[in-house]
Amino acid sequence: MSDFPTDSRLPRDERHGLRPWQRTAAGAGLLAPDGRIAATIFAEMSALAAQTGAINLGQGFPDEDGPAEVLEAARSAIADGVNQYPPGMGMPVLREAIARHQHRWYGLTVDAASEVLVTAGATEALAATILALVDDGDEVVTFEPYYDAYAALIARAGGVHRTVALRFPDWQPDLDELEAAFGPRTRLIIVNTPHNPTGAVFDREVLAKIVELAERHDAVIVTDEVYEHLVFDGPFDGAHVPIATLPGARERTVTISSGGKTFSTTGWKVGWLVAPAALVTAIVAVKQYLTYVNGAPFQPAIATGLDLPDAVFADAAAALRAKRDVLASGLVAAGFEISPPAAGYFIVADAAPLGFDDGAEFCRRLPELAGVVGVPISAFVHPERRAGTRSLVRFAFCKRLEVLQDASTRLAGLAAR
């Protein structure tokens, strides 16, 4: 646990019985009964990897650089003096590239001047959107497991988090359960497809149902599409279909993505959102008081990346698919049951066949048992609903092939135990 202040002089939100920072931590399942904040599982597992020398397949960051053209564009921008505050909405060169990207890949016509906002990664886009549109008591629907920031941000905004279960191994939602999650206070639904942590890609029936429910309840659809160019399989033959392309969706959808996953530049934190101008205006009202602006020399570099030929995107997905297959084979050989992901950076494995019914405890022991670090899926689920994911573990395969081969060899030792 981290020692956080519990001084009574700190502001308390009387409506919730918690101080604002405590409410945020509680939303993410990190608030202890004594008011202290636990470290995130990602920080804990990365520290464990560093302490033990284990291969870190816990956090989703690549260990290889992205396209040389993108890196060189950043160097050139720095050398050319692009080092001061960019415009609040983002540099025109990047906003225009984002608009071209949406039309090129998805046939969406976007006004770069009024419908595109550059952010400090996709997480800031999510934060600004949730804080701008969710009021006290408003309900936000997400799928569960979920990217942990969703729960924290919904709680900080004073919202009520409603979830729809995704179940191992197919990870597709039940449409009746999805409908039941909506109600008169539903303000947003956050749709993460391709999905983190499961690698699922929702099919057209699910996407259409989301649009239907959002229209019926006058809710805003917020999409998290950071893995849009890293799709290997799934219902659309390896393609990504944004929900904004479905009939009736465009006018109520905030589409969020970033360059970090596509171009292996996660540390640059250059993201964006695309939405109708009125929604962008509302979100900017909050975003301008978060980071204000970010990443001046990296914005033209990501613009360069978005304009690269189709083959660059196809090759990136193919390379990642090959890495997925290496780790998947290693996990199966070690005795895990797996759910092969259709997209993204991660593969989910069930440790129960190896005799471990507690994924969190298994992850804490795994460096000793096999010299590898993973993350329990329970970290992406509300504490009271963890039974269905208790023995599941997420491993990242966005690493060099030799690292994944080494990890697979180490994990194979589990089968002999």
Side-chain angles (χ1 to χ4, degrees):
M1 295 283 182
S2 300
D3 289 326
F4 274 72
T6 56
D7 193 313
S8 61
R9 292 171 295 180
L10 288 171
R12 180 181 294 276
D13 185 338
E14 298 297 343
R15 295 167 300 173
H16 299 274
L18 296 173
R19 297 180 178 92
W21 59 271
Q22 290 175 315
R23 191 170 76 241
T24 306
L30 299 178
L31 186 67
D34 63 1
R36 291 186 298 166
I37 298 180
T40 68
I41 194 68
F42 312 104
E44 180 185 353
M45 292 298 106
S46 289
L48 190 57
Q51 291 164 10
T52 62
I55 296 174
N56 188 356
L57 302 185
Q59 276 193 292
F61 57 86
D63 59 1
E64 295 180 284
D65 285 333
E69 301 95 325
V70 175
L71 304 181
E72 184 55 40
R75 295 186 191 99
S76 295
I78 292 169
D80 291 343
V82 184
N83 301 302
Q84 309 308 322
Y85 294 132
M89 293 283 287
M91 288 185 173
V93 65
L94 177 54
R95 285 184 284 139
E96 290 163 5
I98 292 165
R100 286 194 301 274
H101 170 274
Q102 295 304 98
H103 189 267
R104 167 187 170 189
W105 291 97
Y106 312 125
L108 292 167
T109 300
V110 174
D111 180 51
S114 65
E115 296 184 322
V116 179
L117 173 64
V118 177
T119 58
T123 301
E124 192 200 27
L126 287 160
T129 300
I130 292 168
L131 294 173
L133 302 181
V134 176
D135 206 350
D136 192 51
D138 286 344
E139 296 182 1
V140 181
V141 177
T142 78
F143 298 93
E144 189 172 35
Y146 47 77
Y147 175 49
D148 61 335
Y150 301 163
L153 291 166
I154 292 164
R156 182 62 191 89
V160 177
H161 191 183
R162 305 291 187 201
T163 64
V164 180
L166 305 178
R167 296 177 177 88
F168 182 87
D170 72 331
W171 303 118
Q172 293 294 318
D174 179 271
L175 298 186
D176 290 335
E177 292 179 11
L178 175 58
E179 183 161 355
F182 278 73
R185 291 300 303 272
T186 302
R187 178 60 175 146
L188 304 182
I189 177 168
I190 301 176
V191 183
N192 177 206
T193 182
H195 186 263
N196 174 20
T198 70
V201 174
F202 295 158
D203 62 29
R204 191 173 295 275
E205 185 180 16
V206 172
L207 299 182
K209 186 66 172 180
I210 291 167
V211 177
E212 174 201 328
L213 291 167
E215 289 181 312
R216 188 191 311 171
H217 294 275
D218 195 25
V220 175
I221 302 167
V222 179
T223 71
D224 178 350
E225 303 182 22
V226 298
Y227 297 104
E228 61 183 314
H229 288 294
L230 302 175
V231 182
F232 330 121
D233 302 312
F236 305 110
D237 297 324
H240 172 60
V241 174
I243 203 167
T245 62
L246 271 65
R250 173 76 171 88
E251 58 267 27
R252 63 175 63 252
T253 299
V254 178
T255 300
I256 293 172
S257 193
S258 78
K261 302 300 192 297
T262 299
F263 303 120
S264 295
T265 53
T266 59
W268 290 9
K269 298 299 290 182
V270 176
W272 56 83
L273 62 83
V274 176
L279 281 172
V280 171
T281 297
I283 295 165
V284 168
V286 171
K287 183 264 185 290
Q288 65 190 347
Y289 298 112
L290 298 176
T291 59
Y292 176 48
V293 293
N294 70 291
F298 301 129
Q299 291 191 28
I302 294 297
T304 295
L306 291 175
D307 284 333
L308 288 173
D310 291 7
V312 174
F313 295 86
D315 289 349
L320 198 56
R321 177 177 184 161
K323 294 178 179 184
R324 176 202 66 176
D325 292 346
V326 166
L327 184 58
S329 296
L331 290 168
V332 170
F336 292 91
E337 182 183 352
I338 68 168
S339 173
Y345 274 5
F346 307 107
I347 187 168
V348 177
D350 189 357
L354 293 167
F356 296 92
D357 63 359
D358 185 333
E361 180 59 27
F362 174 71
C363 286
R364 294 185 176 102
R365 292 190 57 196
L366 194 53
E368 167 200 344
L369 295 172
V372 175
V373 163
V375 170
I377 291 296
S378 58
F380 305 91
V381 178
H382 281 114
E384 66 273 18
R385 292 192 285 279
R386 287 177 177 167
T389 60
R390 182 173 170 81
S391 59
L392 302 179
V393 179
R394 188 193 80 173
F395 294 99
F397 54 84
C398 51
K399 310 297 179 181
R400 299 188 312 275
L401 275 173
E402 58 265 32
V403 172
L404 297 172
Q405 290 162 347
D406 187 4
S408 295
T409 300
R410 297 185 186 197
L411 289 165
L414 293 170
R417 294 183 64 85

